[in-house]
Amino acid sequence: TIDVCAFKHFHELTELDLSHNNISNLLRGIFSPLDNLEKLIVSHNRLIQIDSPLVFPLIRLKTLDVSSNELVNWDVRPVISHIKTLNHVDLSENTWDCRFLTVILKALSDRGIDVKPRRTVILHEENVNGIRCANQTERNIVQDQDIT
């Protein structure tokens, strides 16, 4: 976890890359001083959720990369209604539930926000618009197999 005051002196920062830092949680308020941030990369971490108000202070955000984490669901609607400048989100390589991913992609598409997968789709993998996901029943079967 990054200290909530870590970025308090970085008001002019326009790009922040926190990838590959083994981050599992981002505290609410951590991005409050970053009102000029246009690009936030939190890829390749261990995030299992994103608290939507976490990114509300980022009113100039254009690009958000949450790829390669452990996200299953995210209510993106408050984010896209609050941050009008957002035009690209990378959701690839997470552990999305297909039902939730469908809702997320529809909400982003309705706002004209670009969501393109970074890699080639593997035909035998379940996916929505090229982003890998799993149905909840499949996830339960895999978890049951891991236990035995």
Side-chain angles (χ1 to χ4, degrees):
T1 304
I2 301 171
D3 186 275
V4 74
C5 296
F7 305 115
K8 70 179 183 180
H9 299 295
F10 295 95
H11 301 282
E12 299 304 315
L13 195 66
T14 58
E15 190 170 317
L16 178 60
D17 186 344
L18 296 173
S19 62
H20 300 279
N21 278 294
N22 206 28
I23 299 167
S24 59
N25 186 29
L26 291 168
L27 299 174
R28 195 179 284 193
I30 191 168
F31 299 129
S32 292
L34 304 177
D35 52 2
N36 286 308
L37 200 68
E38 295 179 3
K39 184 174 188 177
L40 175 61
I41 304 168
V42 290
S43 65
H44 297 87
N45 282 294
R46 296 182 309 120
L47 295 172
I48 58 171
Q49 70 176 24
I50 297 176
D51 185 18
S52 291
L54 175 75
V55 295
F56 283 179
L58 306 177
I59 58 171
R60 290 182 176 83
L61 193 66
K62 295 178 182 174
T63 301
L64 177 60
D65 184 346
V66 295
S67 64
S68 299
N69 279 284
E70 299 170 16
L71 299 169
V72 175
N73 184 17
W74 177 29
D75 186 3
V76 72
R77 291 169 300 180
V79 174
I80 60 178
S81 67
H82 189 80
I83 302 174
K84 307 293 186 198
T85 55
L86 193 62
N87 60 28
H88 179 80
V89 177
D90 190 341
L91 302 169
S92 58
E93 300 302 316
N94 279 285
T95 53
W96 298 113
D97 181 297
C98 292
R99 292 171 300 161
F100 294 122
L101 181 59
T102 301
V103 171
I104 293 167
L105 291 175
K106 173 143 180 32
L108 293 170
S109 173
D110 287 351
R111 287 291 306 268
I113 297 171
D114 179 46
V115 183
K116 290 187 179 142
R118 284 184 306 158
R119 66 178 186 90
T120 304
V121 177
I122 299 173
L123 293 177
H124 68 275
E125 289 182 342
E126 181 111 21
N127 72 83
V128 177
N129 292 356
I131 299 173
R132 188 174 37 138
C133 61
N135 288 313
Q136 191 60 40
T137 53
E138 292 172 6
R139 186 173 282 119
N140 290 340
I141 291 169
V142 171
Q143 288 173 348
D144 290 345
Q145 290 174 348
D146 289 344
I147 293 171
T148 56

